[in-house]
Every structure is written in structure tokens, then in C-alpha cells.
Amino acid sequence: MMTMVSCWGCSSAAACGGLAAACTCSLLLLSLHDPDFVVPEEAAKMYWEANSRKVYRVLTHKDIKSSLKDTDVYILWPDDGVWYMAEVEQVSTKDMVADLRYPSTNEEETVSLDELIRDKCIAVVEHLPKDAKLKRGREIPFSEQDAEGAEYEDAAEEDGTPAQQQRDDGQEQPRAPGSKSRTAAAAAAAAAGAAVDSDFDAEQDS
């Protein structure tokens, strides 16, 4: 029978998901004293997620590979500035299109990956170390809690594609309808993360 005990490895019980006898901190410390003890994969994952910062990492062209299929991505919707989770059912690296399904509504759509990447409206969710600086415009805090104490640095150009796409005849590639609003939504989302961080810093200084 499992004995319920308080977490003695975390600063607070909530930091490890409220676990008691199976507290991830306790398991990790136990592994240091017992070389034969293996920390359960799920416990290690929970510990990492509880002690890291959750962010939306905006995708670039380098991220578009066949392995993107069956991955959960997040699409920034311009009408409300909210990131919606979608499952990638099919992806064409040649045509730069993907078939998405939104679990919340069971709706499906085919999207242009070029457009979404250009407007910074497609991302995946990742966990970063708490002390890691976030790349401005590329890594956006998932929530207000994740934005607390975040520091930012300018993101290096990762895409390798021209800032302004050109057609074969040298003319500017026309933007798809709604792309301007997607760009505005992405900028607003990134600014919101930075604003929350600034407010937090101000409270700390006062």
C-alpha cells in the first residue's frame, strides 16, 4: 500500500503536480542514492514540464519535413488572436501544403505552409529551461504564468528564405487574402507575451 507523504524535494507541492509518495523530486533523488533505481519515464517528464517554461515555438521552413505528419501544431487565428491545436494528417514538402484537423470542432482544412510560416501563424508547443532566453517573435509564452520572469533576445534568421517572396518573373508574390490579418495577429500575440513580462518586472521592482 502506498503511503501518502509530503513532497520534500520541491519548493511546493504544486511544483510537482501535487504528487505525494510518487513525487517526481523524491524519485529523482532516490535515483541518486540507488544506482539500480530507474526513474519512470512519465515521472521524469512531469518533473521537466513542472520546472520548465512552456512556449509556442513558431515554425520555419526548416521544420517542414515528412515527419511533421501526425504532429500536433497550433494555428494562430486572426479573428480572435487565439492559438488552436490541429493535427497534421498529411503534409507535402514539395507543394508546401498540409491537411489539418481541429480536434475541438472536428473541422478539416488544407493550408498553405508558406503563408503560415511567413505570417508566423503556425507553431508547436515546447518546454524550455526556465533560465533560457526566449527568441523574440519566435518563442511565445504559452500563458501568463509561463511569461513570468521571461527574458528575450533577438532571433537569428533561421528560415533561409527571402523576406519578400518573388515570382519567377521577378515580381512580388501576391499575398493570399487574410494574410495581413494573420500577420497582425502574430505580432499581437508576441507583444502580449512581452507585455506580461514587463508588467511582472514592474511589480517585482515596486
Side-chain angles (χ1 to χ4, degrees), residues 26-39:
S26 302
L27 291 173
L28 290 172
L29 289 173
L30 178 59
S31 68
L32 297 178
H33 297 285
D34 184 356
D36 296 325
F37 180 81
V38 178
V39 179

Side-chain angles (χ1 to χ4, degrees), residues 53 136 144 146-152 193-206:
R53 193 186 307 280
R136 188 174 289 105
E144 290 188 9
D146 291 301
E148 291 181 358
E151 296 184 2
Y152 295 83
V196 170
D197 177 50
S198 298
D199 292 342
F200 178 79
D201 289 341
E203 292 177 5
Q204 293 295 96
D205 294 338
S206 61

Side-chain angles (χ1 to χ4, degrees), residues 61-103:
H61 283 86
K62 293 180 180 179
D63 295 304
I64 307 305
K65 304 173 183 177
S66 57
S67 57
L68 193 64
K69 184 178 182 294
D70 298 326
T71 298
D72 290 340
V73 297
Y74 288 77
I75 305 299
L76 184 61
W77 196 247
D79 293 342
D80 53 17
V82 174
W83 293 91
Y84 290 94
M85 190 187 81
E87 299 172 352
V88 180
E89 297 191 324
Q90 296 290 339
V91 59
S92 171
T93 56
K94 178 181 178 181
D95 299 326
M96 288 297 288
V97 296
D99 295 334
L100 305 181
R101 185 182 74 83
Y102 297 89

Side-chain angles (χ1 to χ4, degrees), residues 5 25 44 59 78 95-96 162 174:
V5 296
C25 292
L59 299 186
D95 299 326
M96 288 297 288

Side-chain angles (χ1 to χ4, degrees), residues 117-199:
I117 289 172
R118 180 188 63 219
D119 296 335
K120 299 182 180 180
C121 289
I122 182 171
V124 293
V125 167
E126 294 182 347
H127 288 80
L128 301 177
K130 283 278 191 181
D131 57 353
K133 290 186 177 181
L134 303 186
K135 294 180 175 62
R136 188 174 289 105
R138 290 289 183 188
E139 295 167 343
I140 304 169
F142 188 84
S143 65
E144 290 188 9
Q145 180 180 352
D146 291 301
E148 291 181 358
E151 296 184 2
Y152 295 83
E153 64 182 2
D154 292 332
E157 184 61 43
E158 302 175 23
D159 221 350
T161 58
Q164 187 179 64
Q165 291 191 351
Q166 302 290 321
R167 295 193 317 209
D168 291 339
D169 59 6
Q171 299 298 315
E172 180 183 350
Q173 181 72 21
R175 290 179 177 268
S179 60
K180 286 186 177 180
S181 57
R182 279 192 184 275
T183 304
V196 170
D197 177 50
S198 298
D199 292 342

